[in-house]
Amino acid sequence: FAHFSLKNCASSVTLALLDAANDRDPVVQEQVRKSILTLGNQQPDKVLSMCQDYLLKHPKLVVGHRVVILQTIELVVKSRTDDISYPKIKSVIQLASDEMTKSKEVVPEWQQAASNILVAVGNKYINDIMEEILGKFQPGVLPHFFVVQTLANLSDSNVYGMVPFLNAIMGTMLPMLGMTKQDNMKWVFSSALCRFSESILEYLANLDKAPDPTVRKDTFSSEIYSAYDILFNSWIQSRESKLRLTVAEALGSMSHLMAHDKLEEQLPKLLPTILGLYKKNSEHYIITKSLCQVLEASVNMGSRVLETQIDGLLLALHQQICSPVDFSNPPTVKNHNEVLRCFTILANTFPDRLMVFVLQRLENSNERNRMGSLAVLRHLINSSTSIMETKKLLILASIRQPLADHSNKVKKRVVQVISAMAHHGYLELEGGDLLVRFIIQHCALPDTYHRPPDPEEVTNEALRSMCDNTLHLFTTTVGRLTDVLWPMLLCYLTPNQYASATTPLCKSLILLANKKRAAQEASFIIDFNAQGSLLSADLKHLLHFLQVNAAFPFRCRGHGAPSLSLLNALSPNIHPKAEPLWENEIPKLLSYLEVFECKFYIISWVLSFFLSFFLSFFLSLSQSFLYRCIGVILQQCYNKELVRKQLQEILISTRHNDAIERTGVAMGIGLCASSHLNGTLEKLEEFGKSDAFRKASGIFGLLKDKNDVDVEKMKSTLILCYGYVALHAPEDQLLTRIDSDILQNISKNFNTKVKHIVTPLYILWFKSIIVVQKYSSITVVLVRFCRQRYSKLCLCIFQHIESWLSSGQDHERERAVKTTAELLQFYLDNLSVKNLVTFHNLGALVGRLAPRCTDPNPEVRRAAIDCIYRLMYIQLRYEGFSLDYKDDSVEGLLDVREKLSNPDHSVLYKTCSELTKIISKRLPQQQLSTLLFMLFDGLVDSQSNCSRASSVILNTLLKNRGAGLQDLVPEMLEVLHNRLQVIGEEQVKVAIGQSILILATQHLQTVVNTLVAYPLPYDSWSCEMWMALGADSTLALQIMEMIIEKLNVMVPYVDKKESMLRPGLTKVATSQPLAMTCALREMMLNGQSADAVAYVFPKLFSSLLVRLGSSVGVQLPKDLNNICVSLCCVFRVAVEALRILLGRAQLDAVVKPLDQEGAWDKMKDPQQHTTGVTLLSRAMAKHAGPRLPAIVEGLCPSLCNIYECQRITVTAFFSELLNHHVVTELMILDMLMNNMMERITDTCGTVRMLAVRGLGNIAVGSPEKVNKYAKELLAAMSSGMEEKDDPGKLITLEAMSGMLLENSVLASMGFLLLYGFTQRSIVMFCQENDEIRCASIMLLGNLSKFGSGEPVFKDQIHNVLVSLLLHLSDPNPQVVKACKYSMRICAPIVGSEQISAMFQNHLLEEKGLHYGEFINDLTKYLTGFSFLMSFFLSSGLVMLLQDPDPLVRVKAAEAMGHFH
């Protein structure tokens, strides 16, 4: 019975859908069409009749609405043509014809929709369509635009049905062409003639399928030519470009149907005319397509006239092919392809003339000309293989000119041509090797350092990659090239100009070698010594080249691994014994390279398998490596004569001016000495006495030889050689040779007067000496050297000894300190002071030597005290005291010296403090800064005792004399920051923290300002410095209060325009507040700051909460954008600071639920920020109640802040506090309520929403206070329900949620207020927000409790019944529960006991509901109540078609589609 009722409703449903067909939302429109189509598929005749009647009854329907209905008719006709009755087909044809021609003016959208119906029907009922259309296509009268358009479309969709009519249609059309004056009619006639011609050609091409196989081309030739005459002689000259293009397109299609003699006659005029169109139109594809059709028709009939036009054709086509192709614009791509097709057609008829033309154009140096010519040449090579066969040598000769072009665009085309030539056998011919060379040259292109501004420009990288791929293609897919490339590619490996192509060359050679080796081809074995071979005498050079590549495997695009693999592949060609060895060793090297990508030394051991021959082939860095390889080889060599000979050759051939090569030689000779010490020393001594070291004199000895400097550099090589010999020589042999052979020769060669070489020789000399010191003392040598040669160089020599003072070797430190003591004594003994001056080096020297006073080696400690003792007397001498003067404080150092014999650490540090007091007393103020900075260096001493001593001395000096160093504070902090990065000793790090504390105690503002200004994000060492400031509770309290005060007044962020192209502003954090937040975070991490944190907890919490609110959605400053965001995120810094604050205040009970509920992540998300703050407020209310009054007092000023984000955060915090009774107990309820009432009028919608939420929360937190504030609450909720500036209806949601909680307020409302609230709640049913739908439906149920006795409520419930039923299947389960609740409450108002009982029994919140069965049962009851059924159908779904939500309208339309 219900099904029967629904069928009877189909008409009203269809009518409602037709009314809704012009919905403003395209998705709804589409669904309406689908629903009508669904109904039409079931009852096509009835639905079509209703559509026709609707159009007839509404003659003034807007065009858009008519179009949708006509489109719906077309869909029904297309899908159910066979099921529609013939009378209905006739009426549809009549309707569509009338709709199409009703307006004489062209209304494209409307008339096209009607035309489409005729075309759809015409696929089956072509005769009926033609009867109707031809009735409006009468001779002598210009037809409607869309009558002609329909004929054209019919010829496309139904070729076999239309072609038999075309002769008669064209016969009628021809006179009309002469009558046509308007461009739009000329356009449609031209378009129709084009379609007719294409249909005829398709018909003739498929005569076996045609209904009338007797149709011939000449059947239409006469009419086509007549039409051609008008189009060509008149219309193609039109000023309208669109018409000209359509006429040209028609002429191209018509040319195939013209009689041969007529076409031959017209070609001299037709071709130039079509070519002339290129200049008149910016769109060229249609013109080229037409030209191609004309050329094809001409060639097919064997035209002789075409030859006379060939020159003009080639010029025009070449100009087109040279036009740039925009691959994002399909017409330009199509035009390019059509032009190439034209060249193919001409190549089949005029191959010689075309080839001469193209090759001549290659000689033109213009970039575009060459690119176009190359594109044609490539196309012809690929598409016209047989024709090009005889032209191969000519093409090979002509391609040479573009090979020399400098344009990368041209080169790219050349590579494409070469690739085509390779596949068609060109490269095997004479001259093909030049093309292979071209590819390899461009595999070696350097990078493009300056990127070209032109996006179409081909970069070197792109061209190089293309050539790499082409070479690989030659090797893998062009089988005929194997014998061409092998072994020719080997010739390109060693020349320097191809160095960057090594990787692709090696890869190709490996593939070729493996291919030939697998096939056991005889040509795999190369005869390098064959007469006339390109590779003659080149094997050694090739081996050296690949060896050096392997030494530096990651250069030149990673040539190491391919070079090694190629050596392996070539092994049978090198030596029979190399093959098994290399096959075992080289794969190991390759696996090492994959693991150790940065270590070159890993392959040095295997290179001993190679022989080193011609060093002059390589650069100095490569030579340096090879010298070391020779050293390794000579180590293993037992032929002493060969060793001497090789050493002689090395020393003679070395380029001593090159420091890198010089070092490599010294290292190689040192390695050799490990096995051949005597022979090596003899050869070095012999070399030192050779003629190369003798200086020739100028005339009368007045002129100096120009090679003086070169001789000095040779000496430096020799000195360095002795040093490496001492380093590598066996200990038992070296001891007997150290004085007589090594030191004596070093001393000899150190004597030089060339100023600019002195310093390098110093360095080399001491470098050699320090190696020797493993075995004997050098002190005597040094002092003797100073006395004999440079008595004023003591302090200069100290600079070279200085680095050894902190050596990791005890004997090196001991000798360095003792040497320094002797030098200082010598300096003191020989010091002569004429004027009273300051010893400027005192601070630096004391700073270097003082830390050694606690050295683990007692000898070093005593020597260090001796140094300081002598330094103090040198200072006294500079101050004017006599040589025999004794100072009591300085003499006290002798007592300190005795105490240093005790190794106990506590004694050492106590002694160190005494030493510091003496130094502090005697050190001039101007020397203090130098001493401090030297001590900073001592903090990273290799000996932990000394670094600790440095920190003790440093802190003692800072305490005693740091107050006067304010100007140096920033610099000292920077040095301490740098030292922290390399200090590993924990005790020293603690001491540095003490240094910072001392400075802060003396210069607080300067220290804070300096540390705040450090770059963000703070690195770990900056963090340690801030953490150190938290160690002193009093100092930490001062700093925290200072930062809080500044944070409360500083601008947290600025609004900046991110881009001129993008609208809107971006929030960018200001640096100082961000830095201060970081500082607070780090200070609070220090457990000793707990007392300070406890004292200022309310202020800190308030400040950090507001800071957190100011950080949401805020970006880092631009100078931090390149730094990983995880290191410094504006929001994360604030969150971490707040978390640490809560932890330090022992509020773990607050932190735990926040972590569990993901509150911190929610606070970060702008969409969930208030939710996260609510969770924080809830936790504070539960676990930190006593602290809340001070916090609330601290937050209140932020509610009046200009920054919305801060007001939002504080309001959200206060709003949740009102949800807890603790605010009443703490007597802060009134303060919070007053603040919430003030925020109701805030300019920010989110703040207003949170304020409404807070006022609603009082019903939960303090229900006993609701009546006290009832008036204010009702006004606030009413205002919230009526809020207009509420795009997401969030304020309304909060107001409704508040009303749900405050039943006592609802009970006190009058009927009018209840009715108004009911109306507002019903409006919210269709909101997209799930919570709003849920709250509005629940509110309707609650309001029904208090208004059920009123008749007006019954009408309201009837009106919303369908909506409630639909929401029972809402995707949100909470909305479904709300529906069940409200429908049970409203059930008595429905007016049916059965329905009321059904609602009470089945609609239980926690009980499942089978929606389909429930609706079926309900429908049975509804059919017994006609008024309810009427509401359900007429008012229900139809009402939903007017719903503001497009999704609801779509679903309503979809449901209505099932009424059949």
Side-chain angles (χ1 to χ4, degrees), residues 445-557:
L445 280 178
D447 289 341
T448 306
Y449 295 106
H450 301 289
R451 295 291 173 187
D454 180 7
E456 295 182 2
E457 185 63 42
V458 179
T459 62
N460 280 4
E461 291 87 345
L463 183 59
R464 184 176 65 206
S465 175
M466 186 179 184
C467 291
D468 289 351
N469 294 334
T470 302
L471 187 60
H472 182 75
L473 192 72
F474 288 173
T475 310
T476 55
T477 62
V478 188
R480 58 173 63 178
L481 284 181
T482 300
D483 292 329
V484 175
L485 300 176
W486 180 269
M488 181 181 70
L489 291 185
L490 287 170
C491 301
Y492 296 103
L493 273 177
T494 53
N496 285 335
Q497 64 266 36
Y498 305 123
S500 294
T502 303
T503 297
L505 276 171
C506 287
K507 289 179 179 178
S508 293
L509 282 164
I510 292 164
L511 290 170
L512 292 169
N514 291 339
K515 188 188 298 184
K516 285 188 169 287
R517 195 173 181 181
Q520 297 183 349
E521 293 184 21
S523 59
F524 169 64
I525 301 300
I526 304 167
D527 185 358
F528 286 92
N529 298 315
Q531 187 66 29
S533 170
L534 293 173
L535 297 168
S536 179
D538 210 31
L539 179 58
K540 294 178 181 178
H541 191 183
L542 179 63
L543 286 177
H544 292 317
F545 179 81
L546 295 175
Q547 174 186 346
V548 173
N549 288 355
F552 305 98
F554 305 109
R555 292 184 181 173
C556 295
R557 299 195 283 156

Side-chain angles (χ1 to χ4, degrees), residues 1134-1314:
V1135 164
E1136 288 178 352
L1138 188 55
R1139 281 175 60 97
I1140 294 166
L1141 171 65
L1142 294 171
R1144 194 59 68 212
Q1146 298 181 346
L1147 290 176
D1148 294 333
V1150 173
V1151 177
K1152 185 176 179 181
L1154 295 179
D1155 291 340
Q1156 291 173 344
E1157 298 177 35
W1160 307 111
D1161 291 334
K1162 289 176 181 174
M1163 289 185 214
K1164 181 179 180 180
D1165 185 354
Q1167 305 302 320
Q1168 301 185 74
H1169 175 69
T1170 55
T1171 305
V1173 175
T1174 299
L1175 293 171
L1176 173 62
S1177 178
R1178 184 179 304 161
M1180 291 294 290
K1182 288 181 180 178
H1183 305 291
R1187 302 174 189 258
L1188 288 177
I1191 292 173
V1192 170
E1193 185 178 353
L1195 288 173
C1196 282
S1198 298
L1199 285 174
C1200 301
N1201 207 308
I1202 61 171
Y1203 296 102
E1204 284 185 359
C1205 54
Q1206 296 181 356
R1207 301 203 304 276
I1208 289 170
T1209 301
V1210 176
T1211 308
F1213 190 82
F1214 283 2
S1215 174
E1216 177 59 24
L1217 288 181
L1218 286 167
N1219 209 18
H1220 301 271
H1221 198 263
V1222 67
V1223 297
T1224 302
E1225 297 169 2
L1226 295 170
M1227 294 184 293
I1228 55 175
L1229 177 63
D1230 289 343
M1231 184 192 306
L1232 292 172
M1233 285 295 294
N1234 291 337
N1235 278 299
M1236 292 297 98
M1237 292 304 298
E1238 289 176 4
R1239 291 305 103 204
I1240 287 292
T1241 57
D1242 196 280
T1243 55
C1244 174
T1246 305
V1247 174
R1248 297 199 300 275
M1249 178 270 290
L1250 292 168
V1252 171
R1253 178 188 296 175
L1255 292 172
N1257 284 344
I1258 192 175
V1260 177
S1262 305
E1264 71 277 9
K1265 300 290 184 179
V1266 171
N1267 289 332
K1268 176 182 177 182
Y1269 298 104
K1271 184 177 179 182
E1272 291 85 352
L1273 291 173
L1274 188 58
M1277 300 306 159
S1278 178
S1279 171
M1281 292 278 283
E1282 295 175 354
E1283 179 69 55
K1284 293 180 180 179
D1285 184 15
D1286 186 17
K1289 299 296 180 186
L1290 297 180
I1291 300 176
T1292 303
L1293 171 63
E1294 291 299 337
M1296 289 190 294
S1297 300
M1299 294 293 287
L1300 289 172
L1301 297 173
E1302 295 163 2
N1303 283 328
S1304 59
V1305 176
L1306 293 178
S1308 66
M1309 286 197 299
F1311 168 70
L1312 290 178
L1313 274 175
L1314 280 172

Side-chain angles (χ1 to χ4, degrees), residues 815-844:
R815 289 166 183 162
V817 177
K818 286 183 176 180
T819 300
T820 303
E822 293 292 338
L823 289 172
L824 290 173
Q825 185 62 52
F826 174 77
Y827 189 84
L828 178 61
D829 293 344
N830 292 274
L831 179 61
S832 175
V833 179
K834 297 179 180 179
N835 299 311
L836 297 181
V837 293
T838 302
F839 182 25
H840 295 292
N841 295 316
L842 178 64

Side-chain angles (χ1 to χ4, degrees), residues 735-775:
L735 288 173
T736 60
R737 313 296 298 272
I738 188 69
D739 292 325
S740 60
D741 291 314
I742 296 178
L743 285 177
Q744 186 175 354
N745 284 306
I746 287 176
S747 182
K748 285 179 184 178
N749 287 291
F750 194 76
N751 185 14
T752 178
K753 297 180 180 179
V754 183
K755 293 183 179 179
H756 71 273
I757 205 70
V758 168
T759 301
L761 287 179
Y762 274 152
I763 295 169
L764 293 171
W765 193 71
F766 280 112
K767 192 170 184 180
S768 302
I769 289 297
I770 202 65
V771 175
V772 174
Q773 285 218 41
K774 293 187 295 183
Y775 310 107

